[in-house]
Structures are given as C-alpha cells and as structure tokens.
Amino acid sequence: MGRRSGILEFAVLGLLRESPMHGYELRKRLNTSLGVFRAFSYGSLYPCLKTLVQRGWLAEESGDGSEEALAAPLAGRRARIVYRLTPEGKEHFEELLAQTGPDTWEDEHFGVRFAFFGQTSRDVRMRVLEGRRSRLEERLAKMRASLARTRERLDDYTLELQRHGMESVEREVRWLNELIESERAGRDQSRGETPPDPPDDTTAR
C-alpha cells in the first residue's frame, strides 16, 4: 500500500467514524476539512472505498431511508450508496490512530493525523507532535547549512525564497512548541479550550 493511498484510507475511516456518508459527501469533507485531498478525484476515492468494503471495514447501504430507496427506481436512477464504518473498521482505525512512527511526522500525513487529534489519546498526540518538531528541526538545520554555503552564489530573489522557506518552518516549530507545552500542562482541549492557531503553512517543506 502506497503512502498516499494509506493516508486516504486513514482519512476515510476517520470521517466515517463520525457518521455514515454518501461518497459525494465524503469527498466534500475530504476537500474542505482536509485540504491535502483537494486534488483527489472520484477516480481515487471510489477504489479506496471498494477496498475498504472488501476488507470488511466499511459496509454499503442504499439511500438515506425508505423514501429515497423507493423513489430512486421510479425515477430511473440508482439509489445513492451510504458508507458506514463497521465494528472491525472502527477497531482498525483505532489501531491506526495509536501509531506514532516516522510516517506520522511527514508533511501530508501529519496534517491528516492532526485533523483527528480530537479522537487521539494525549500520549499519542505528544509523541506525534514531538516527532514532527524533531523532523522540522532537522530540516531547519539543513536549510541553514545549505544557505550558509550558497548565500554568495544566490541572486536576491532566490535568497528571499530560501529565507521564506526557513521562516515557514520556523513558524511551524513555534506553533508545535505551543501545542506541546499545552499538552504537558494537561490542558484538555476536548473541554472546549482552543488550541494555538496553526501557522499559515503547516506543510512547509
């Protein structure tokens, strides 16, 4: 399973854990709630849904209820399929939610994992946040070293672009520091407290 498809499966399971959805509604949620999936199409989503159904993690149901199920054949169209998370699917999602390996720190996967932090235990949140911060600090050190070596060879615009990239990473590191301190202080965000605002670009590369 590729990294990209794995992220999509995780997001689909997480959204369906909240409530059953039609494929079209699910796609809208992926686009609006998880911006990393803006470029995804039905061509990517429906094979994913089919795979999850085959694995027993999702179940298919026809229509929203009896009225739609009866009206669809009369109108000469198929009833829309509703996808629902099965108990096995919920268990699998909870296993994925507990993972804290390096993949969870990477740009695309971190954004998706963060979107489901409300369903994630505090110790897992801490490990993911600290892992992400460590990864970005490594990236920042490499960027600074590279800039120091090449500064004199860069024109003004390329130099500004390099600085902009560094500032984006620095901003996310500061944001992560605030989140980590909040977690350490034992603040329970599920009680309605607002976490620090994310930086403009939480997928700084």
Side-chain angles (χ1 to χ4, degrees):
M1 181 176 63
R3 175 180 296 180
R4 186 76 166 174
S5 61
I7 298 171
L8 179 58
E9 289 184 7
F10 176 84
V12 167
L13 292 172
L15 290 174
L16 291 177
R17 188 188 187 191
E18 299 173 1
S19 66
M21 297 184 202
H22 301 295
Y24 178 69
E25 182 183 5
L26 185 57
R27 184 189 179 197
K28 286 197 300 182
R29 288 292 305 279
L30 288 167
N31 289 340
T32 57
S33 302
L34 306 171
V36 69
F37 294 108
R38 289 193 188 98
F40 269 51
S41 65
Y42 280 120
S44 301
L45 177 57
Y46 281 98
C48 174
L49 290 170
K50 182 178 179 181
T51 297
L52 296 177
V53 170
Q54 291 173 342
R55 292 175 180 172
W57 296 334
L58 298 184
E60 295 178 328
E61 300 172 349
S62 296
D64 292 319
S66 57
E67 291 185 5
E68 179 171 331
L70 291 172
L74 295 175
R77 58 183 174 82
R78 297 172 58 187
R80 290 188 297 176
I81 295 174
V82 174
Y83 295 92
R84 176 178 53 80
L85 195 65
T86 64
E88 294 79 9
K90 181 179 179 181
E91 181 179 350
H92 178 63
F93 178 70
E94 289 174 351
E95 291 174 356
L96 295 176
L97 209 59
Q99 294 179 1
T100 59
D103 279 353
T104 66
W105 313 337
E106 300 299 338
D107 293 333
E108 291 181 349
H109 207 158
F110 174 76
V112 177
R113 284 300 301 264
F114 190 81
F116 293 101
F117 262 25
Q119 304 179 42
T120 306
S121 65
R122 180 172 294 159
D123 62 328
V124 171
R125 293 198 303 261
M126 277 291 293
R127 288 197 293 271
V128 173
L129 290 171
E130 289 175 340
R132 175 64 174 173
R133 181 176 63 180
S134 176
R135 180 58 48 87
L136 290 183
E137 287 174 341
E138 292 174 2
R139 184 181 303 173
L140 192 57
K142 291 179 181 178
M143 294 173 74
R144 287 169 174 162
S146 176
L147 184 60
R149 289 194 306 269
T150 60
R151 180 187 298 271
E152 294 182 358
R153 300 197 299 271
L154 299 178
D155 61 56
D156 290 343
Y157 298 103
T158 304
L159 184 60
E160 285 304 314
L161 186 62
Q162 294 287 330
R163 287 174 175 165
H164 174 69
M166 288 176 54
E167 289 172 359
S168 296
V169 178
E170 290 169 345
R171 186 164 55 248
E172 185 173 351
V173 169
R174 290 194 298 269
W175 174 64
L176 290 167
N177 285 335
E178 292 178 14
L179 288 168
I180 290 169
E181 287 305 311
S182 295
E183 295 289 347
R184 285 178 176 165
R187 187 177 71 179
D188 191 350
Q189 296 173 3
S190 67
R191 294 179 180 173
E193 295 188 41
T194 305
D197 291 333
D200 295 336
D201 182 6
T202 58
T203 57
R205 298 181 185 276

